Amino acid sequence: MKLCCLDIQIQFQQNISYLFTGHIIHAVNYVSDRIAVMYLGEIVEIGDVNDLFDNPKHHYTTSLRAAIPLPDPKLRDRERIILDGDLPSNSNLNTGCRFHTRCPMVKNRCKKEKPVMKQLNENRFVSCLLYD
């Protein structure tokens, strides 16, 4: 974890881990080694923080990353991702992939089949039918 030295010493001495939950992905980046991105209560992507930020696999992760405000005016011209579509209700979830109503890469099977978590490499996992 990217915490102060005392916290790291305690973590190793006591053999413990920290679980940090947040809605601002860029804040999570500063305190985490690994991130699990959730959409409507389901994990859609897991990875080491640098790998996940540098190369997101799920489009929801890509959109979260694109929403991070940048202090450098020269970098503010980057592509912004605005998610279109309907946000499903937690009490009336759609069939198939929960993200299909907002995903720009949606296929017909996304509306019918629920994706399962796939391991892309030793440290990366994604729940998306595009990776079948």
Side-chain angles (χ1 to χ4, degrees):
M1 312 266 331
K2 299 174 185 174
L3 302 172
C4 76
C5 295
L6 180 60
D7 287 337
I8 292 171
Q9 288 175 353
I10 292 170
Q11 181 181 0
F12 284 108
Q13 289 171 353
Q14 300 297 319
N15 195 27
I16 60 173
S17 296
Y18 297 102
L19 176 64
F20 178 79
T21 305
H23 288 88
I24 303 170
I25 195 168
H26 126 137
V28 175
N29 172 42
Y30 287 103
V31 296
S32 304
D33 295 323
R34 290 181 53 76
I35 295 179
V37 176
M38 296 182 75
Y39 182 77
L40 290 176
E42 288 189 353
I43 295 175
V44 296
E45 186 167 1
I46 302 171
D48 292 337
V49 67
N50 291 331
D51 189 25
L52 192 129
F53 268 79
D54 293 342
N55 189 19
K57 300 297 183 189
H58 197 280
H59 196 72
Y60 183 61
T61 307
T62 302
S63 66
L64 289 175
R65 189 176 141 252
I68 296 171
L70 296 175
D72 185 345
K74 295 175 188 169
L75 300 175
R76 289 184 186 157
D77 291 338
R78 72 171 191 248
E79 179 187 1
R80 303 295 289 181
I81 297 174
I82 307 298
L83 293 176
D84 293 325
D86 297 325
L87 179 61
S89 163
N90 278 335
S91 61
N92 186 23
L93 292 171
N94 51 351
T95 59
C97 175
R98 291 188 178 183
F99 191 62
H100 86 259
T101 60
R102 304 182 82 196
C103 182
M105 306 297 291
V106 67
K107 306 290 183 217
N108 281 333
R109 69 184 283 222
C110 302
K111 299 173 185 178
K112 300 171 190 162
E113 295 177 43
K114 186 172 182 173
V116 295
M117 190 67 64
K118 293 159 201 66
Q119 186 170 3
L120 302 179
N121 63 39
E122 183 179 343
N123 296 311
R124 281 305 284 279
F125 300 83
V126 67
S127 180
C128 180
L129 294 171
L130 297 176
Y131 290 91
D132 279 352

